[in-house]
Amino acid sequence: LRRKLAERHATPIAGTEDAEAPFHSPDGSWLGFVARGALMKVPIAGGVPIRLGEAHGAGGATWLPDGSIVVAPIYSDGLFRLASEGSAPDRLTTPDRAAGVLGHWWPELVPGTRWVLFTAFRTPVDKSRVGMVHLETREVRWLVDGGFFGRFVPTGHLLFVRGQRLYAQPF
């Protein structure tokens, strides 16, 4: 749904039926989402949805300033990068199965950097880890053990969840 701030009611965005895991382009003109086995994008103002690639889960995605997208296309794998116009996915991360990692989820670009935050998901969820991967070198740095859903906030903090609580730590 979209709603102008001056209006009271929201209207559906055509082509987003069954959509999950929404994310926006950096300029706010596009909406990305996963639906019916595909990673899609559609203009916020309306138009025809465009298929970018396969996605069989809603593990999240983040749109980068260069137009590429980092996505978790299935729950049981790592993160991949593809051009916003669609391309062969380029692997960024591989889950450590020996450590019980089920998949890498919820990517988010750290603004002004070449790093993407993500969660290495394990069960129970409090055994997960928050890390970040460098977009060029693919170096992974672990930031939080026993937390998940890491998000950077403009105050310079990393937010994450542990148990039923939200935590913040300097980034």
Side-chain angles (χ1 to χ4, degrees):
L1 297 174
R2 97 177 140 238
R3 180 181 67 87
K4 292 182 181 180
L5 292 176
E7 295 178 2
R8 185 173 182 181
H9 299 285
T11 58
I13 298 172
T16 61
E17 298 79 16
D18 302 321
E20 299 179 80
F23 60 101
H24 291 93
S25 63
D27 67 2
S29 64
W30 290 87
L31 174 68
F33 59 95
V34 173
R36 299 171 298 282
L39 178 68
M40 307 286 290
K41 72 176 187 177
V42 65
I44 293 283
V48 177
I50 299 169
R51 186 181 190 281
L52 301 175
E54 288 190 36
H56 297 283
T62 188
W63 212 311
L64 307 179
D66 68 3
S68 63
I69 296 169
V70 174
V71 61
I74 61 174
Y75 288 116
S76 60
D77 205 345
L79 300 178
F80 293 81
R81 184 177 182 181
L82 64 149
S84 66
E85 296 306 316
S87 65
D90 179 27
R91 180 180 289 277
L92 293 175
T93 66
T94 301
D96 183 354
R97 302 279 185 233
V101 177
L102 301 174
H104 292 162
W105 300 355
W106 306 312
E108 180 189 59
L109 178 68
V110 177
T113 75
R114 303 298 294 159
W115 292 91
V116 172
L117 292 168
F118 68 96
T119 295
F121 189 80
R122 295 188 245 188
T123 57
V125 70
D126 283 339
K127 291 190 177 205
S128 297
R129 300 168 87 184
V130 175
M132 60 184 185
V133 60
H134 193 274
L135 290 167
E136 277 79 37
T137 67
R138 290 166 176 70
E139 173 190 357
V140 173
R141 293 184 185 170
W142 297 109
L143 306 172
V144 176
D145 284 323
F148 60 96
F149 204 71
R151 291 291 179 253
F152 177 81
V153 291
T155 61
H157 291 83
L158 173 67
L159 300 181
F160 62 95
V161 177
R162 180 179 289 148
Q164 299 296 314
R165 295 191 174 149
L166 178 65
Y167 290 84
Q169 71 181 32
F171 186 76

